[in-house]
Amino acid sequence: MITLSVIKADTGGFVGHSAVHPRLMAEARREIERAKSSGLLIDGHVESCGDDISLIMTHTYGQEAGLIHSFAWDTFQATTHLAKELGLYGAGQDLLSDAFSGNLRGMGPGYAELEFEERPSEPVLCFLADKTEPGAWNLPLYRMFADPSNTSGLVIDEKMHAGFAFEVYDLHEDRRIVFDCPADLYDMLMYIGAPARYVIHGVRSKTLGMTAAATSTQRLSLIAGRYVGKDDPVMIVRCQSGLPAVGEALEPFAFAYSVAGCMRGSHHAPLMPVATGQAHPSRFDGPPRVVALGFQIKDGKLIGPRDMFDDPAFDGARRQAVEVMDYLRRHGPFEPHRLPLEDLEYTTMTSLTKRLAHRWTPITTEVATPVGG
Ligand code: F6R
Ligand code: MG
Ligand code: MG
């Protein structure tokens, strides 16, 4: 068995929240090389999307392994140190705890992990997003694994026809449920259509009995109890031979669907699929970006990556994202561009409520100061 771990954190932005400084990337790569030579990792790759660094690692320690998580934590400490030296913005932003204890759960960095028996050929996609939240994976995962209009394999591949099981987390109540699709599809959509609260954590093939997808399902604001930035999610999808083909797994992103995030984590904006060189959201801290790194895994080695959205076939989605961004921006501070009150990551409402309390009067009573005198 091998484990593929994608662990990410924003340890400082260059400039503002738009990208990762090259020196932080070099530092993370050095750490990965060291971990490979020491035998901790079989292989590793470092990539960024926006202001987040992702460590993509293969090893034999399983999911939530202390050794791997503490390695990632130490690496993020090292990049934070450098970020402070360079005066980068929000240095150490996602490191919410002072000390590492056991694993990264609740500590700030996001992670998606899959432990599996490597198939003779193991094509895997690692998706990294910036300026959005883990629920942003709900729509594409539904399309990949449950929507026959997206994935023709659900209809015409014997190994897919029985469907997939989706594990969904309720981030507000700290509970989970498994939906058996297609039978439970309409039930599931009632929940996952509300991605701020219900988030797909993993997907399993019913026929093959193997886990096919995993997401990072932490919400920083809920962990920290205060605004600390949207928790820019990552996702792993295994492909082919009874799982969605690579093209079926990428297809949902040919539509620039709307996600929560963007400026101050408080706006709806289209998700733009881009090549890694374009993953630096600067306009209104958006539009939110997604990159897809393709690997073939062989004996745990990461053969790749291929920059999967570096394909003119996604130009239409990129154009659409710019158009939708223009359209939404013209709403200014109004919904549906601005998030509903309960989902705002930034808000002045708490202080306004206190400050204006005495000026609110029941509509049925006389107005204290008549409008227009
Ligand atoms: C989004 C994000 C940014 C910041 C924004 C304001 O995830 O991190 O949109 O919220 O740039 O940042 P501050 O309050 O740090 O000036
Ligand atoms: Mg940031
Ligand atoms: Mg980010």
Side-chain angles (χ1 to χ4, degrees):
M1 295 279 261
I2 63 149
T3 303
L4 174 61
S5 297
V6 182
I7 307 185
K8 53 84 34 186
D10 174 351
T11 61
F14 172 62
V15 172
H17 289 282
S18 62
V20 178
H21 192 282
R23 280 188 57 195
L24 271 61
M25 294 296 287
E27 176 70 21
R29 287 189 178 119
R30 248 191 318 273
E31 291 298 327
I32 287 277
E33 285 312 312
R34 242 203 298 267
K36 277 158 67 176
S37 348
S38 77
L40 178 70
L41 300 180
I42 305 173
D43 207 351
H45 179 80
V46 182
E47 195 50 79
S48 68
C49 184
D51 52 5
D52 295 85
I53 301 176
S54 282
L55 311 175
I56 300 171
M57 303 171 284
T58 49
H59 55 90
T60 53
Y61 296 95
Q63 295 172 202
E64 308 233 350
L67 278 175
I68 300 299
H69 283 207
S70 72
F71 163 72
W73 180 259
D74 292 345
T75 302
F76 294 139
Q77 293 280 1
T79 56
T80 295
H81 184 75
L82 198 50
K84 285 185 176 155
E85 227 174 82
L86 296 171
L88 299 183
Y89 197 69
Q93 179 183 290
D94 285 356
L95 307 188
L96 303 180
S97 177
D98 294 332
F100 181 81
S101 58
N103 66 42
L104 288 173
R105 188 176 295 198
M107 298 192 67
Y111 52 95
E113 298 185 296
L114 271 186
E115 186 178 30
F116 53 87
E117 204 67 66
E118 191 181 289
R119 296 171 292 170
S121 178
E122 185 66 61
V124 175
L125 298 174
C126 297
F127 292 90
L128 321 175
D130 185 46
K131 304 289 179 270
T132 184
E133 60 184 13
W137 303 131
N138 284 5
L139 184 148
L141 282 172
Y142 151 67
R143 291 258 157 91
M144 289 175 212
F145 290 98
D147 178 2
S149 302
N150 180 90
T151 299
S152 60
L154 293 167
V155 180
I156 63 178
D157 183 340
E158 274 307 340
K159 296 200 281 288
M160 298 181 76
H161 200 80
F164 291 84
F166 291 70
E167 185 184 13
V168 173
Y169 281 13
D170 174 351
L171 299 184
H172 288 189
E173 298 282 334
D174 210 9
R175 54 183 187 161
R176 68 177 91 192
I177 186 171
V178 175
F179 290 106
D180 181 345
C181 291
D184 290 341
L185 181 57
Y186 298 162
D187 294 349
M188 180 174 81
L189 284 169
M190 192 62 208
Y191 292 93
I192 65 167
R197 173 165 179 179
Y198 299 99
V199 178
I200 299 171
H201 181 65
V203 184
R204 236 181 127 70
S205 159
K206 282 159 51 182
T207 303
L208 304 173
M210 56 168 70
T211 311
T215 70
S216 58
T217 319
Q218 303 85 30
R219 284 198 73 190
L220 285 183
S221 54
L222 297 183
I223 296 168
R226 65 188 159 88
Y227 180 74
V228 282
K230 282 276 178 201
D231 29 349
D232 306 328
V234 293
M235 167 169 76
I236 302 170
V237 179
R238 298 170 73 196
C239 298
Q240 308 285 157
S241 306
L243 303 178
V246 166
E248 288 168 333
L250 296 172
E251 178 65 13
F253 298 95
F255 161 54
Y257 62 98
S258 183
V259 296
C262 201
M263 177 54 72
R264 299 178 187 275
S266 300
H267 294 81
H268 282 123
L271 186 65
M272 188 189 240
V274 290
T276 49
Q278 301 281 302
H280 313 124
S282 51
R283 176 189 177 185
F284 200 64
D285 289 356
R289 304 294 152 100
V290 55
V291 302
L293 303 175
F295 296 96
Q296 292 288 153
I297 299 182
K298 182 63 185 167
D299 299 329
K301 290 264 182 221
L302 293 164
I303 313 300
R306 276 217 63 234
D307 196 350
M308 305 306 287
F309 290 138
D310 188 6
D311 176 350
F314 290 95
D315 283 351
R318 292 188 267 268
R319 269 197 306 275
Q320 185 179 44
V322 174
E323 255 172 55
V324 172
M325 188 71 177
D326 287 341
Y327 168 82
L328 285 170
R329 280 277 50 233
R330 291 189 63 183
H331 292 77
F334 287 82
E335 296 178 11
H337 187 27
R338 198 183 76 184
L339 296 188
L341 291 177
E342 63 275 19
D343 291 336
L344 289 175
E345 298 279 353
Y346 258 82
T347 186
T348 44
M349 202 48 148
T350 322
S351 61
L352 287 189
T353 306
K354 277 191 205 127
R355 183 152 62 78
L356 301 181
H358 68 287
R359 286 171 54 188
W360 285 94
T361 54
I363 291 169
T364 47
T365 61
E366 282 211 355
V367 180
T369 318
V371 177

